[in-house]
């Protein structure tokens, strides 16, 4: 019997309850899930450093015996190959995510035909949650406590100056 290892890549800036929902559900499907934080993203200047994100995710997934946290840069297919992973886990919140995710999955398949992409929908209550939206709402003084783990709320409060 062979074990199935999957990579759940992303910037996780910050980690959301939607990410945790996918991690929990993905961990039930595969033998080992690696949450892989992309080090140099094209998404601009991150709010949290890579070590901060790694620390938050490691704390959040501590209860999962088959989930680990790593960082990577470069091509996802190369990282997956180095890790011996057979699949990539990706979340699709809405149709708007699908086109981008489909293109990425097709390119990954072209680069490594052995690597499968598993698409999962988040729980309905998280379908609109994105890290970008969390940062924007928080920076404008909105309450995001139901959308991110408590330790992320504390880190956001420490990172973002309070609004008057």
């Amino acid at each position: 019997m062979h074990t199935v290892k999957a990579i759940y890549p992303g910037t996780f800036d910050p980690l959301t309850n939607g990410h945790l929902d996918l991690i929990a559900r993905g961990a039930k499907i595969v033998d080992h899930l690696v949450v892989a934080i992309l080090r140099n993203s094209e998404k601009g200047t991150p709010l949290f450093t890579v070590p901060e994100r790694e620390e938050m995710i490691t704390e959040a997934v501590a209860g999962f015996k088959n989930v680990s946290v790593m960082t990577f840069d470069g091509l996802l297919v190369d990282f997956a190959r180095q890790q011996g992973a057979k699949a990539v886990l990706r979340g699709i919140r809405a149709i708007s995510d699908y086109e981008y995710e489909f293109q990425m999955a097709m390119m990954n398949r072209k680069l490594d035909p052995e690597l499968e992409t598993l698409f999962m929908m988040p729980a309905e209550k998280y379908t609109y949650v994105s890290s970008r939206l969390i940062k924007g709402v928080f920076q404008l003084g909105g309450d995001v406590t139901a959308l991110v783990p408590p330790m992320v709320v504390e880190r956001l409060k420490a990172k973002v100056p309070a609004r008057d």
Side-chain angles (χ1 to χ4, degrees), residues 86-101:
K86 297 286 178 227
V88 173
L89 176 65
R90 294 297 295 163
I92 295 186
R93 295 173 300 232
I95 294 296
S96 54
D97 287 344
Y98 181 78
E99 189 171 3
Y100 171 78
E101 293 295 344

Side-chain angles (χ1 to χ4, degrees), residues 98-133:
Y98 181 78
E99 189 171 3
Y100 171 78
E101 293 295 344
F102 181 79
Q103 287 175 335
M104 292 300 291
M106 291 296 101
M107 181 55 77
N108 287 340
R109 181 180 286 171
K110 180 79 175 152
L111 295 171
D112 185 351
E114 298 297 307
L115 187 65
E116 293 294 342
T117 301
L118 305 174
F119 291 120
M120 292 184 77
M121 265 73 92
E124 193 176 328
K125 61 185 172 182
Y126 303 127
T127 53
Y128 63 91
V129 178
S130 71
S131 293
R132 184 178 43 78
L133 199 55

